[in-house]
Amino acid sequence: TSGKKLLMFYFYADWCRPCKKFGPVLEKIAKENNDRVTVYKINSDKNSDLANIFQARGVPHVAYVKNKKILLSLTGLYPKDMYLKAIERFSSAPKK
């Protein structure tokens, strides 16, 4: 269990061009915010059951989860700032 920590589930596919663009951005987000969020990178083709649970109908798909509840889902590619604002909004840890 994650307790009160924010979890970020990132669904991608190897054939997905926007996913290839977002991958390095996500890694940077994860590294810079590792005290506030735990990021899970999930191949939706290899984990279709999990993708269905998160209703990931397209990729890239990011779901923010806290206390076993999905707080926000984003399908498609968004500016890095949007992901950071969601972390800031839902994370209980103060920003560095």
Side-chain angles (χ1 to χ4, degrees), residues 2-9 37-38 54 63-72 90:
S2 68
K4 292 184 174 29
K5 188 153 186 186
L6 181 64
L7 306 177
M8 184 176 171
F9 293 87
V37 65
T38 300
F54 281 89
Y64 293 90
V65 177
K66 194 170 188 180
N67 298 322
K68 299 180 185 174
K69 287 191 174 82
I70 297 174
L71 305 173
L72 176 68
F90 299 122

Side-chain angles (χ1 to χ4, degrees), residues 39-90:
V39 177
Y40 295 94
K41 189 175 175 184
I42 302 157
N43 184 315
S44 59
D45 290 335
K46 294 178 182 169
N47 298 282
S48 57
D49 289 350
L50 197 54
N52 285 333
I53 290 168
F54 281 89
Q55 297 178 358
R57 304 284 181 250
V59 286
H61 180 88
V62 173
Y64 293 90
V65 177
K66 194 170 188 180
N67 298 322
K68 299 180 185 174
K69 287 191 174 82
I70 297 174
L71 305 173
L72 176 68
S73 290
L74 300 169
T75 302
L77 196 55
Y78 293 89
K80 179 183 176 185
D81 201 40
M82 187 165 213
Y83 301 100
L84 293 173
K85 283 181 179 166
I87 291 168
E88 201 169 308
R89 180 176 173 198
F90 299 122

